[in-house]
Amino acid sequence: LFFFFFMQRQVKLLEIFIIIFLTIIAIVGIYYYVNTIPRTKLILKLYPLQARLETTALSCSDQSPEWLKETLKDVSLSHRAPNSQIAYISPQGQLFHCESGYLGVPLFSKKVNAEIRFRYASVSKLWTSDAILDLVKQKKISLAEPILNLLPNIPKPDDLRVEQITVENLLLHRAGFSRTGLMGDEMFRSGDKPFCPTALEKLSHIQLAFNPNTTFSYSNLGYCLLGQMIATKTHQSYQQFIQKEYDLEKDNIRFLEKKRFDDEAKYRYIETGLTGYGDIYTTFDYPALDSSAGLSGSAISLAQQVKKMINKPEPNILSQPNISCDLNKLRDCYGYAMFPYQEDVKSLKVYFRDGTLLGASSLVVVDEHGGVLTLLSSGQAEHGQQEYDRTKLKIYDGLMNLY
């Protein structure tokens, strides 16, 4: 009888314990469901566990340098990127590549392969720069030509300095536009349709933040205008010209639409502020971003396209005018398409071009020997540009050791 009584009491205590445990779980669950910021912080803290699972899918092509694999491992964690690709084409034309991550639930879904599509973000500007420089070599436009001569039906500007902006100023991000003012980036206002490319007459109302050709100020608007110059000179839309001229279909490179493509990577974008970026696929007017951030494809396709660009006669995407800057500082120098960097006069010289979109980052590195490296990832680094620059320097060290 005593044993029976004891067992009954133990069962009741276990039931009470289970009820208390489930109640605590429910309260915690409700708290994190209702409170967005704490929920976001918890998700971010737990990401390292996901990263370990995602990298179990990491694989590389035969004879790939070990540091390519290590770079992807690092990127998966430091960029908080569940999916990633890296590709390297040697000066001799050998292709090596690695891929990491699962397209759905880790361990229970398809792995990222070499054909999976990522958003190229601002790396898309390479096509715009290359196309403009081709038109310059064909003497269809001049780097010194005022942009208002090349853009149709623009009324006389309110700010007369706009008349001084040249094609070269746009390429070099020295036109005088600013994206850090009260209204932010003209091309990336959530829910707003930018005036470029469909209402170019509004350029006449722009107020410049700097005198043209005096200050480097990164501008997506400038590259949208370059895209329209290409359209005007080639008598077709920017999309049509780029698709045909660069044979994008062959490399399965596509312009972004306001949707996710079936063969696209799994992006990890977590809202950490009050930006209002609800849906990363519809937040921006992606067709308007064609010439500044509008392309998507694989790391291999990106590397192959860039390899062709750097083999063209000068001026090409590696060219830069004679502007005073420090090569041993990241982002201090900017050419017609890329940032040159050299640790010291005896070190390897490379050229960087990177970009970010919501939940995605991209990077192209060209070295002075003709090697091309591309890195695509589907996350957002906690420390932003600081983390992306650390990745650049890690890749630079890998290339230094390779040569």
Side-chain angles (χ1 to χ4, degrees):
L1 184 64
F2 173 78
F3 178 75
F4 179 74
F5 174 77
F6 176 77
M7 288 301 296
Q8 272 192 322
R9 185 174 181 181
Q10 287 291 94
V11 170
K12 288 182 179 180
L13 287 174
L14 180 62
E15 290 174 347
I16 292 172
F17 174 78
I18 291 173
I19 291 171
I20 293 173
F21 176 75
L22 292 177
T23 302
I24 292 172
I25 292 294
I27 292 172
V28 171
I30 293 171
Y31 171 78
Y32 281 112
Y33 179 79
V34 173
N35 296 280
T36 304
I37 294 177
R39 181 173 75 246
T40 298
K41 289 181 178 179
L42 178 63
I43 292 172
L44 293 175
K45 285 182 179 179
L46 293 176
Y47 177 71
L49 297 177
Q50 180 184 346
R52 294 176 73 91
L53 295 176
E54 298 285 358
T55 52
T56 61
L58 200 161
S59 63
C60 296
S61 60
D62 292 341
Q63 299 181 329
S64 291
E66 184 64 21
W67 61 273
L68 291 183
K69 182 178 181 180
E70 293 304 315
T71 298
L72 277 203
K73 283 184 179 179
D74 180 70
V75 162
S76 179
L77 185 59
S78 63
H79 291 200
R80 292 173 171 169
N83 293 178
S84 55
Q85 293 174 335
I86 193 168
Y88 171 67
I89 301 177
S90 72
Q92 296 76 31
Q94 294 172 286
L95 171 65
F96 306 99
H97 57 91
C98 301
E99 298 78 38
S100 178
Y102 294 87
L103 294 174
V105 177
L107 305 180
F108 297 99
S109 60
K110 292 182 178 179
K111 297 178 181 180
V112 174
N113 59 40
E115 288 77 41
I116 289 298
R117 179 181 311 281
F118 288 75
R119 298 180 170 221
Y120 288 167
S122 283
V123 164
S124 303
K125 291 181 176 70
L126 291 175
W127 279 264
T128 305
S129 294
D130 187 69
I132 286 287
L133 294 171
D134 280 350
L135 291 173
V136 169
K137 284 175 284 195
Q138 295 163 14
K139 300 189 183 304
K140 293 182 178 179
I141 63 174
S142 164
L143 288 173
E145 191 165 1
I147 65 172
L148 295 188
N149 292 354
L150 300 167
L151 296 170
N153 306 318
I154 307 295
K156 191 170 185 64
D158 299 336
D159 187 338
L160 295 181
R161 294 176 297 174
V162 172
E163 295 178 335
Q164 303 170 23
I165 301 173
T166 66
V167 173
E168 184 175 59
N169 294 157
L170 293 183
L171 283 172
L172 298 172
H173 297 281
R174 294 171 66 88
F177 302 129
S178 175
R179 62 173 184 166
T180 59
L182 181 63
M183 298 303 292
D185 193 318
E186 168 66 36
M187 303 301 297
F188 283 94
R189 293 176 189 166
S190 179
D192 289 348
K193 188 176 182 66
F195 75 77
C196 184
T198 56
L200 290 179
E201 66 276 3
K202 293 183 180 180
L203 178 63
S204 63
H205 302 305
I206 284 281
Q207 291 294 316
L208 299 183
F210 318 98
N211 290 331
N213 200 33
T214 62
T215 305
F216 175 87
S217 181
Y218 193 86
S219 175
N220 288 297
L221 172 59
Y223 271 71
C224 179
L225 296 175
L226 288 170
Q228 291 315 292
M229 291 176 200
I230 292 168
T232 299
K233 282 296 179 180
T234 61
H235 307 290
Q236 55 193 311
S237 73
Y238 176 83
Q239 262 201 36
Q240 290 171 333
F241 173 76
I242 297 297
Q243 286 170 337
K244 181 179 178 181
E245 184 71 14
Y246 295 90
D247 201 5
L248 299 189
E249 186 176 356
K250 176 177 174 292
D251 288 330
N252 196 24
I253 295 174
R254 297 178 64 177
F255 281 95
L256 296 177
E257 301 175 18
K258 284 195 169 185
K259 66 177 185 179
R260 179 184 182 274
F261 293 121
D262 292 338
D263 60 349
E264 204 164 349
K266 173 181 67 181
Y267 299 107
R268 189 176 188 276
Y269 175 73
I270 297 176
E271 182 66 64
T272 55
L274 301 176
T275 62
Y277 298 153
D279 185 342
I280 66 172
Y281 302 106
T282 60
T283 292
F284 303 125
D285 186 352
Y286 287 108
L289 299 176
D290 281 351
S291 56
S292 57
L295 287 169
S296 66
S298 69
I300 291 176
S301 293
L302 176 56
Q304 290 170 335
Q305 289 265 331
V306 171
K307 185 73 171 177
K308 294 175 185 176
M309 293 179 191
I310 66 172
N311 288 331
K312 291 183 178 182
E314 293 191 13
N316 59 32
I317 61 170
L318 303 184
S319 301
Q320 62 183 115
N322 187 23
I323 296 176
S324 178
C325 60
D326 292 331
L327 280 176
N328 62 354
K329 293 181 180 179
L330 285 174
R331 297 182 167 273
D332 195 67
C333 302
Y334 190 81
Y336 291 135
M338 306 186 79
F339 291 94
Y341 173 78
Q342 189 174 25
E343 191 173 60
D344 56 58
V345 293
K346 296 181 179 180
S347 300
L348 181 72
K349 185 176 183 180
V350 298
Y351 303 81
F352 293 114
R353 190 66 181 85
D354 59 349
T356 58
L357 275 175
L358 301 179
S361 65
S362 56
L363 173 65
V364 173
V365 184
V366 178
D367 63 63
E368 62 181 339
H369 301 295
V372 176
L373 181 141
T374 55
L375 171 65
L376 305 174
S377 61
S378 64
Q380 54 191 117
E382 179 180 3
H383 301 294
Q385 193 60 56
Q386 177 183 343
E387 197 64 57
Y388 300 134
D389 286 346
R390 191 185 72 83
T391 298
K392 292 186 187 75
L393 293 176
K394 182 172 182 178
I395 289 172
Y396 183 77
D397 289 340
L399 289 171
M400 286 273 287
N401 293 331
L402 189 65
Y403 293 116

